[in-house]
Amino acid sequence: MSTRTRTGTAGTVRTTLAFALITAAALTLTACGGGEPATAPAGAAGAPKGALPTEDVVAAVGRNEAAAKLLPADVRQRGTFTIASAVATPPGSAYLADGRTVVGVDADFAGAVAKALGLELKREVVGFEAILPALGSGKYDVGTGNFGVTEERRKTIDFVTYVNDGQGFAARSDSPLKAVTDLTQLCGLKVAVNAGTTFERTLEQNKGRCAQAGKQPYTVNVYSETGAIWMSLQQGRSDVVMNTINGLRYAVTQQKNVKFLNEYRRLDVGFAFKKGTPLAPAFQAAVNGLKADGTYDRILKKWGVTASGIERSQISPPEIPAPTK
């Protein structure tokens, strides 16, 4: 059986040190299209190494009347929606150098959908683990945070898909691993993941495979913040990082002595809502409208994730099957 270590961060100092490993300098960057001011939590990262793209691909989005008509009457009347956003790492989400402005794939799609629906977006930055429960309580209308569509989540959450990302692995450059195609390759190793994610769930659900193969279990090191994951890898407290494909591909370009191993599985990613939300049809129509007018492709190109494009937005599609190994 695998062991599971839940590792919290020791305040702002530890978080700052963690992000120092993936931050070369606090670069002065201009705001990106779709970025909304939001209060950063204590110890949040500043600008990552390398200039983030600054092209505004959202400003020209016009109101999609057909999509807007699908909104519930009370939402149209108030003219706003509240969004809980988890901020982790580019290209999905990040802060600019001001430590307040949220940018990335999630922010651009949220901003574009808001414009298409004629609504004002009100964002609050929330820890990843807290978002889905908060949606269920009605505290927020929608959540973003690279939420993969899974059968377990579909029981309590509705999704409107906008990209396809998934699970991948990275390791230090001196690791003998070249790819993880079977989870038994992780046996005896320490794997760092974010709390409350599909990565944590995948490893926990498959923890018996090492014993079945007659091998030592892997250890799942669970962290609340992405920066702490990379610090654990660099300091040798973890051997492998399991995270989003797009996030890993970006992160390894910003750090020394780390390498992207491989994609493990793909998942549809979407806006998350309370189960039974009346907002889903309007959001779906808005996303599909962005595909039709070219905004969708411009957002993906801006963030270098064209491989994550989907043919059309769907409401809570079935989970893409996991690998059998």
Side-chain angles (χ1 to χ4, degrees), residues 185-197:
Q185 293 172 261
L186 300 174
C187 297
L189 302 180
K190 299 180 289 292
V191 188
V193 299
N194 284 101
T197 59

Side-chain angles (χ1 to χ4, degrees), residues 230-280:
W230 292 107
M231 182 166 68
S232 76
L233 183 72
Q234 295 280 17
Q235 294 182 344
R237 290 181 286 108
S238 296
D239 302 299
V240 181
V241 169
M242 188 178 187
N243 210 286
T244 67
I245 294 166
N246 291 335
L248 291 174
R249 287 189 183 279
Y250 180 89
V252 299
T253 70
Q254 306 301 298
Q255 303 181 66
K256 294 181 179 179
N257 303 319
V258 294
K259 62 183 180 181
F260 178 75
L261 296 179
N262 63 295
E263 296 184 9
Y264 179 67
R265 68 173 299 196
R266 284 273 174 177
L267 284 171
D268 289 317
V269 171
F271 295 107
F273 304 85
K274 180 180 180 179
K275 189 72 175 177
T277 178
L279 290 171

